[in-house]
Amino acid sequence: MAGLVEKPHTELIFCIPESRPRDYLPDVGEDSVEIPPALLRKDLPIPDHDELTVVRHFTGLSQENFSVDGNFYPLGSCTMKYNPKLNEALVRDVRLTDLHPHLISEGQARFCQGALQILWELERILCDLTGMERFTFQPMAGANGELCGVKIIRAYHEARGQRRSYLLVPDSAHGTNPASATLGGYRIVNLPTTEKGYLELKTLKEHLSEDCAGLMLTSPNTLGLFNPEIDAIASAVHEVGGLLYYDGANFNALMGNVKVSDLGFDIVHLNLHKSFSTPHGSGGPGAGPVGVVKDLVEFLPVPLVERGPDGFYLNWDLPNSIGKIAPFLGNFLVVVKAYIYLRLLGLEGIRYASQVAVLNANYLRQRLKDLIDVPYSGWCMHEFVASAAQLKKEKGITALDIAKALIDRGVHPPTVYFPLIVKEALMIEPTETETKFTLDYLVEAIRDIIDTPAEALKSAPHRTRISRPDEVRAVKEMDLAYLE
Amino acid sequence: MSQAYNFVPHTEENLRAMLSALSVESLEGLYWKVVDHRFAGTFSGFDSLSELEMEREFSRILSGNKVLPGLVGGGFYRHFVPKALNELAGRAEFYAAYTPYQPEASQGTLQALYEYQSMMARLTAMEVANASVYDGGSAVFEAIMMSLRITNRKAVVVDELLNPIYLRMLNSYLSGLDVELLLMPREQILESLDGRVSAVVLQMPDFLGNVFDLSEFADGVHEVGGLLVQIFYPISLGILRPPGEMGVDIAVGEGQSLGLGLNFGGPYLGIMATRREFVRKMPGRIVGRTKDRNGRDCYVLTLQAREQHIRREKATSNVCSNESLCAIKSLVYLSLMGGSGLRKVARVCHLKAKALRSFVEALGLEVVTGDYFNEFAVRIPDLDGFYSRALERGFIPGLRLERFNPEWKDYLLVALTETVEEDLIKRWQDSLRSHIRS
């Protein structure tokens, strides 16, 4: 690629020569400001550009990205399904974007009946899908939901006069689980995954005691396996007085088929940006509503949305509430997108989507297992983990090489090197929105990569503008802002 | 009901081919092979809608929302959003991308976030910023936790005039943690400082709209080895002296005003900026500039050893998903407005507030806010009467403060932005004049 002229948009917005900006506002005359001079700003180092320059800059940047709209994105544990355009179009309505949240503080429910109706109806749907009694929409992401859940666990035990000290987390869990539990004031006890690929009852029992506040679990787990002992595990935790927390990261495998309450869970968070098609937004905003069984409703954040004879209203009357997790009712517009998605699919559609997610994963797994090692035999759910450990030994091809070479073939890489319990892990989650044609293409792409000499892969990707950034240099130089 | 199969693309033929590759008979058969059938759930169910029906249904639902014009602020403001912003941030290459863990497939997001970090550092006159946290309130919490890590202390002194919503969030977030939260009036803060204090947290402009110099607080807290945290209002920094020029160590703010809209409470944007020396103690994702194997400038997520996916229970925070798209929106907003546009917005907000403030003062009403930017609190006798008559006339006159603090009976908090029309101000003034006379 040497000799290629850099595209102008790769110039930082601060380095593009300034131009005359648009003036978006009417003039206000020459009246003097009434602010003490010592509080006035002198220097404001934000550049001026004309609108077209800005439009070109960000259009150019966007074209440097892979996205679900442009590329197959089989990123394990992230559920990169298609984000319906209808969701995006409908939430641009000014009756949502201009709706002031202090209507909530003022108790002016009459001006936001539509918004409250959406929350109320979506809550009923989520309760139906999970078997929980009530939901809060405040948590602004999955990890925020975990923290909310951990606070509810704590409040529950304290209401019983107990100070339990630790939470159990399997070693295959997402890093947010132990981090959230720590932030909620608990000590973490890590539970090892056995050779079967999931948490076994006998392992759990070794770590249970009256001092255990509960267990955080995702089902299916990060290996895409459904734990057949799940109900016995729940009983064992309940027997010592602990609570069972469901991390909804993998709910796409269960929705409309299995109720998490039937598995014995007491608290649930759902990632609306995974299971319910709201976009990931380059890393956020997400939404992580939390649902609880009846005994825990009193601890939910305030306010809750209720329906009375005069319409929908906000209920602040929860004396044992853990308080506030979000300033208002969470990432509301994200929640609205999930509502639209669920209304479009209905229960039948959501069940079907989940079953096809399982089919697509098993189909890919079946076709790939002749090419690459897939540990933990048997059926998977919506995702599975392949391992390049054998390939590395035989041909020198690592999980990272496969990932980078897939970029050249137009596919976003799977999640690599996670979960930590599988060597050279490639975690693959196709989702239900991909065609057989696309799934088959991934198989052929991986076959093509494996047939390539390892040395030729070490410098991949070759078709992107940049390749294999020096991450050590990034840490060493800490160039985190352009201030010149 | 084929509409229920929206977004699943398989034809019958493909479905059969895939099932037969797995040697199973049916989709249900496959599913209940993977999961024991005794776990099959019973659901009450809900119907599916076609896109046409959904659009109509949604429009019916939204008719229940009434967006009244008004002077409501209280930390969350209606500002003008250039149309180009939503077109750019609405590009699916941004919204339908994942966290940029694969740099070669995400240079667009990564460069945009590096520019966002730079833009926030410039706006606040700090040295570095992270790539966002959830909202202003969680940013305050994260700033406190960060100060504890830096100082190894446990007490935090917090001004009573923080946004009460943030105070409620702090109470929830800090419960169960080994942190001592000392809430007090601003006048008492300096004399209360000692070697136990990790940070002083001030909001400027404060909840009642007061603007003030933070330098003396910076000197005071630095003298005892603690840090100064400021909660700022981004738009105000178009005219007000920035945190970095007043000795602030961690600047946090709600970025909603930078082109995001009100959105009935979210999604919003938690801005977090600090000094370079503290960056390893900062939570959240951070993008750094580096070189690729051919020596080209490029961007990567960096300093990840702080984060939960590496450090698990020892991470600086549990935050994973942040508000990237909102961060990109705020960057686009500031790029479109430019420094001169931001200055103008800030100036317009202030001048509108100045005009209205002199109006209420001329009526002999007590304004309890001192120096101000675009918001002030005024005591209006029989406020509830004024308020409900204003609603009847089709506007919300401001935010009543008694709900937040019983001592603030009859206080109305009034916020002016560039979006407030002259006609509304006139109606507001007429209503107030006739209310005072009656």
Side-chain angles (χ1 to χ4, degrees):
Chain A
M1 293 268 191
L4 246 185
V5 177
E6 288 284 329
K7 289 193 233 168
H9 64 259
T10 58
E11 199 73 69
L12 288 167
I13 191 89
F14 310 103
C15 303
I16 302 171
E18 289 195 281
S19 48
R20 195 167 71 83
R22 275 194 64 188
D23 192 350
Y24 292 97
L25 303 175
D27 286 328
V28 271
E30 293 301 305
D31 197 3
S32 62
V33 301
E34 202 176 45
I35 294 171
L39 286 175
L40 287 176
R41 174 163 210 155
K42 288 175 191 74
D43 187 33
L44 180 59
I46 294 176
D48 282 343
H49 295 296
D50 66 290
E51 187 169 302
L52 176 57
T53 294
V54 176
V55 167
R56 236 172 234 163
H57 178 72
F58 288 104
T59 302
L61 285 187
S62 79
Q63 290 166 343
E64 299 269 313
N65 270 2
F66 275 36
S67 69
V68 175
D69 278 24
N71 312 80
F72 181 27
Y73 224 116
L75 195 61
S77 226
C78 302
T79 317
M80 297 297 285
K81 62 171 76 176
Y82 173 58
N83 313 129
K85 298 295 173 195
L86 181 66
N87 301 354
E88 302 306 310
L90 292 188
V91 302
R92 284 195 187 187
D93 196 300
V94 291
R95 288 170 293 181
L96 297 171
T97 55
D98 278 357
L99 199 61
H100 205 294
H102 271 313
L103 290 173
I104 298 163
S105 326
E106 284 270 16
Q108 296 286 5
R110 60 181 151 153
F111 299 124
C112 50
Q113 283 293 300
L116 298 182
Q117 181 183 346
I118 289 170
L119 294 170
W120 191 88
E121 289 184 1
L122 180 58
E123 185 179 349
R124 299 288 129 4
I125 292 174
L126 298 186
C127 287
D128 190 27
L129 290 176
T130 58
M132 295 293 122
E133 180 75 12
R134 294 298 305 262
F135 264 85
T136 173
F137 290 103
Q138 285 191 34
M140 295 168 278
N144 202 216
E146 292 168 15
L147 180 62
C148 175
V150 170
K151 290 201 172 290
I152 290 170
I153 291 174
R154 193 180 184 90
Y156 166 84
H157 290 305
E158 282 177 1
R160 267 149 203 76
Q162 296 178 356
R163 277 208 68 113
R164 297 182 172 225
S165 74
Y166 68 93
L167 272 170
L168 298 170
V169 180
D171 59 1
S172 64
H174 299 130
T176 51
N177 286 184
S180 300
T182 304
L183 206 54
Y186 282 109
R187 182 165 60 80
I188 304 306
V189 174
N190 284 300
L191 299 176
T193 304
T194 60
E195 63 278 4
K196 286 184 179 162
Y198 48 79
L199 170 65
E200 286 190 74
L201 183 60
K202 58 177 191 214
T203 317
L204 172 74
K205 283 189 165 166
E206 289 162 21
H207 296 91
L208 282 178
S209 77
E210 301 275 313
D211 197 29
C212 169
L215 166 66
M216 298 179 85
L217 209 57
T218 180
S219 175
N221 69 8
T222 46
L223 295 168
L225 302 177
F226 186 85
N227 190 327
E229 297 181 341
I230 185 72
D231 44 348
I233 283 173
S235 303
V237 173
H238 287 149
E239 259 164 46
V240 298
L243 294 175
L244 213 65
Y245 181 93
Y246 179 78
D247 174 341
N250 297 334
F251 190 64
N252 208 47
L254 300 187
M255 53 185 197
N257 291 284
V258 176
K259 267 190 162 151
V260 289
S261 62
D262 291 344
L263 306 180
F265 288 96
D266 306 293
I267 308 177
V268 172
H269 91 252
L270 298 176
N271 299 79
L272 301 188
H273 47 291
K274 294 182 180 178
S275 313
F276 300 139
S277 87
T278 76
H280 282 74
S282 289
V290 166
V292 294
V293 295
K294 202 166 185 179
D295 285 351
L296 301 176
V297 171
E298 59 177 311
F299 305 113
L300 283 174
V302 282
L304 294 175
V305 180
E306 314 279 1
R307 187 165 71 170
D310 301 325
F312 301 96
Y313 67 96
L314 295 157
N315 174 12
W316 295 84
D317 187 23
L318 268 80
N320 295 325
S321 164
I322 60 164
K324 275 194 136 343
I325 293 297
F328 298 101
L329 297 171
N331 280 343
F332 176 68
L333 291 191
V334 177
V335 172
V336 175
K337 291 178 196 180
Y339 170 79
I340 297 165
Y341 174 77
L342 283 163
R343 292 293 311 269
L344 283 176
L345 266 63
L347 177 65
E348 187 187 342
I350 209 81
R351 170 186 293 147
Y352 183 72
S354 193
Q355 291 180 353
V356 174
V358 171
L359 169 68
N360 284 2
N362 277 290
Y363 175 76
L364 255 188
R365 183 178 179 280
Q366 174 76 18
R367 292 214 54 202
L368 278 175
K369 72 181 183 193
D370 297 333
L371 299 175
I372 184 167
D373 186 32
V374 181
Y376 305 107
S377 56
W379 299 97
C380 66
M381 290 208 77
H382 65 306
E383 68 185 1
F384 60 95
V385 179
S387 167
Q390 200 63 29
L391 277 174
K392 187 179 172 186
K393 208 183 290 171
E394 287 167 9
K395 298 188 174 180
I397 299 175
T398 65
L400 187 69
D401 295 336
I402 295 173
K404 298 298 182 192
L406 275 172
I407 295 176
D408 277 338
R409 287 156 182 82
V411 176
H412 191 282
T415 302
V416 287
Y417 301 101
F418 185 84
L420 310 173
I421 51 177
V422 175
K423 281 187 185 143
E424 296 292 325
L426 290 147
M427 191 185 197
I428 300 172
E429 179 182 10
T431 83
E432 73 281 5
T433 58
E434 299 299 334
T435 61
K436 177 173 178 290
F437 175 75
T438 304
L439 302 178
D440 289 338
Y441 175 76
L442 176 62
V443 176
E444 294 318 311
I446 290 181
R447 188 194 308 280
D448 184 38
I449 292 165
I450 290 170
D451 288 344
T452 307
E455 313 78 67
L457 298 175
K458 297 297 168 191
S459 53
H462 302 109
R463 296 185 183 178
T464 47
R465 189 173 53 80
I466 66 115
S467 181
R468 303 244 178 172
D470 185 344
E471 306 208 1
V472 176
R473 179 188 169 114
V475 173
K476 208 169 80 194
E477 305 228 320
M478 283 214 313
D479 175 357
L480 311 176
Y482 186 84
L483 301 177
E484 287 152 47
Chain B
M1 223 195 313
S2 60
Q3 71 203 25
Y5 301 152
N6 278 318
F7 314 122
V8 173
H10 297 329
T11 59
E12 275 300 321
E13 190 191 346
N14 283 338
L15 205 59
R16 271 197 306 275
M18 293 169 73
L19 287 166
S20 84
L22 294 168
S23 310
V24 288
E25 296 279 309
S26 68
L27 197 54
E28 292 267 342
L30 169 66
Y31 192 89
W32 298 112
K33 219 184 247 295
V34 182
V35 180
D36 191 324
H37 201 272
R38 71 195 160 100
F39 294 116
T42 316
F43 301 87
S44 40
F46 49 104
D47 292 336
S48 66
L49 297 176
S50 64
E51 182 154 328
L52 180 63
E53 291 165 303
M54 186 65 219
E55 275 193 69
R56 287 180 188 147
E57 168 83 350
F58 199 68
S59 178
R60 267 195 299 274
I61 292 172
L62 289 200
S63 67
N65 287 350
K66 300 269 179 288
V67 176
L68 299 185
L71 303 185
V72 183
F76 308 92
Y77 305 91
R78 184 166 169 233
H79 283 286
F80 168 78
V81 182
K83 285 289 166 285
L85 188 155
N86 282 324
E87 297 306 317
L88 290 171
R91 292 184 66 92
E93 295 92 331
F94 286 128
Y95 80 67
Y98 193 69
T99 308
Y101 289 125
Q102 288 291 341
E104 293 93 340
S106 333
Q107 279 301 296
T109 294
L110 286 163
Q111 184 177 330
L113 291 177
Y114 176 86
E115 290 182 359
Y116 163 83
Q117 292 170 185
S118 310
M119 198 64 104
M120 291 305 137
R122 286 162 180 251
L123 183 67
T124 57
M126 304 297 291
E127 290 168 334
V128 288
N130 70 10
S132 79
V133 291
Y134 308 130
D135 79 302
S138 54
V140 181
F141 165 69
E142 293 286 6
I144 289 176
M145 298 305 286
M146 182 175 154
S147 79
L148 303 178
R149 284 190 294 273
I150 293 169
T151 61
N152 276 316
R153 297 178 182 178
K154 284 174 182 170
V156 182
V157 173
V158 175
D159 183 0
E160 280 180 349
L161 286 183
L162 255 57
N163 193 321
I165 289 178
Y166 293 164
L167 291 176
R168 288 199 73 171
M169 285 177 76
L170 279 185
N171 274 327
S172 299
Y173 275 84
L174 291 174
S175 78
L177 297 180
D178 190 13
V179 183
E180 195 184 353
L181 192 144
L182 305 162
L183 193 64
M184 63 184 73
R186 195 147 67 231
E187 310 81 76
Q188 292 174 17
I189 287 179
L190 281 175
E191 63 201 57
S192 78
L193 298 179
D194 59 32
R196 298 176 312 132
V197 174
S198 171
V200 168
V201 183
L202 297 167
Q203 178 175 321
M204 204 289 272
D206 69 19
F207 185 60
L208 297 181
N210 294 295
V211 298
F212 55 95
D213 193 344
L214 277 73
S215 306
E216 56 171 342
F217 294 97
D219 295 343
V221 72
H222 290 157
E223 225 161 83
V224 299
L227 304 178
L228 184 62
V229 176
Q230 182 191 345
I231 305 166
F232 64 93
Y233 170 18
I235 294 290
S236 76
L237 296 185
I239 195 166
L240 292 182
R241 199 164 146 206
E245 290 177 15
M246 294 187 288
V248 170
D249 301 289
I250 307 171
V252 292
E254 171 51 67
Q256 164 274 332
S257 56
L258 299 173
L260 301 187
L262 287 162
N263 308 337
F264 199 50
Y268 285 169
L269 167 67
I271 302 169
M272 199 164 190
T274 189
R275 299 179 186 286
R276 200 175 153 82
E277 60 188 290
F278 300 140
V279 69
R280 285 174 195 274
K281 305 286 184 186
M282 183 153 63
R285 297 174 187 144
I286 299 174
V287 174
R289 182 158 65 165
T290 184
K291 299 274 186 201
D292 82 342
R293 68 178 167 84
N294 299 315
R296 284 170 192 262
D297 277 349
C298 63
Y299 305 87
V300 293
L301 288 172
T302 193
L303 302 175
Q304 296 190 61
R306 302 162 298 115
E307 291 186 76
Q308 48 76 27
H309 62 283
I310 310 282
R311 294 292 300 280
R312 298 176 77 84
E313 63 266 29
K314 295 189 183 68
T316 53
S317 164
N318 70 331
V319 72
C320 177
S321 279
N322 56 10
E323 307 285 305
S324 279
L325 192 67
C326 301
I328 294 172
K329 280 187 180 179
S330 72
L331 168 69
V332 175
Y333 173 85
L334 288 170
S335 303
L336 287 167
M337 301 303 283
S340 60
L342 182 66
R343 271 186 193 280
K344 182 166 180 180
V345 174
R347 192 177 140 81
V348 173
C349 291
H350 173 71
L351 291 180
K352 280 181 185 273
K354 179 183 170 189
L356 196 64
R357 182 180 172 128
S358 61
F359 171 83
V360 298
E361 281 173 340
L363 285 180
L365 295 176
E366 182 198 352
V367 173
V368 297
T369 307
D371 289 326
Y372 64 99
F373 165 58
N374 73 329
E375 200 165 20
F376 58 85
V378 52
R379 199 143 94 201
I380 298 175
D382 180 26
L383 175 62
D384 289 344
F386 172 60
Y387 192 89
S388 55
R389 273 188 295 282
L391 291 188
E392 282 163 24
R393 296 185 63 179
F395 65 93
I396 305 179
L399 184 64
R400 286 175 296 179
L401 296 184
E402 189 181 351
R403 274 171 182 266
F404 299 105
N405 183 344
E407 287 173 22
W408 291 340
K409 185 169 162 41
D410 285 338
Y411 280 26
L412 185 70
L413 186 64
V414 180
L416 281 298
T417 74
E418 75 282 11
T419 64
V420 176
E421 292 186 56
E422 284 308 309
D423 172 63
L424 173 65
I425 292 176
K426 198 174 165 309
R427 283 199 286 157
W428 193 95
Q429 291 174 336
D430 290 346
S431 299
L432 184 61
R433 211 181 279 121
S434 56
H435 174 73
I436 297 295
R437 286 202 195 116
S438 63

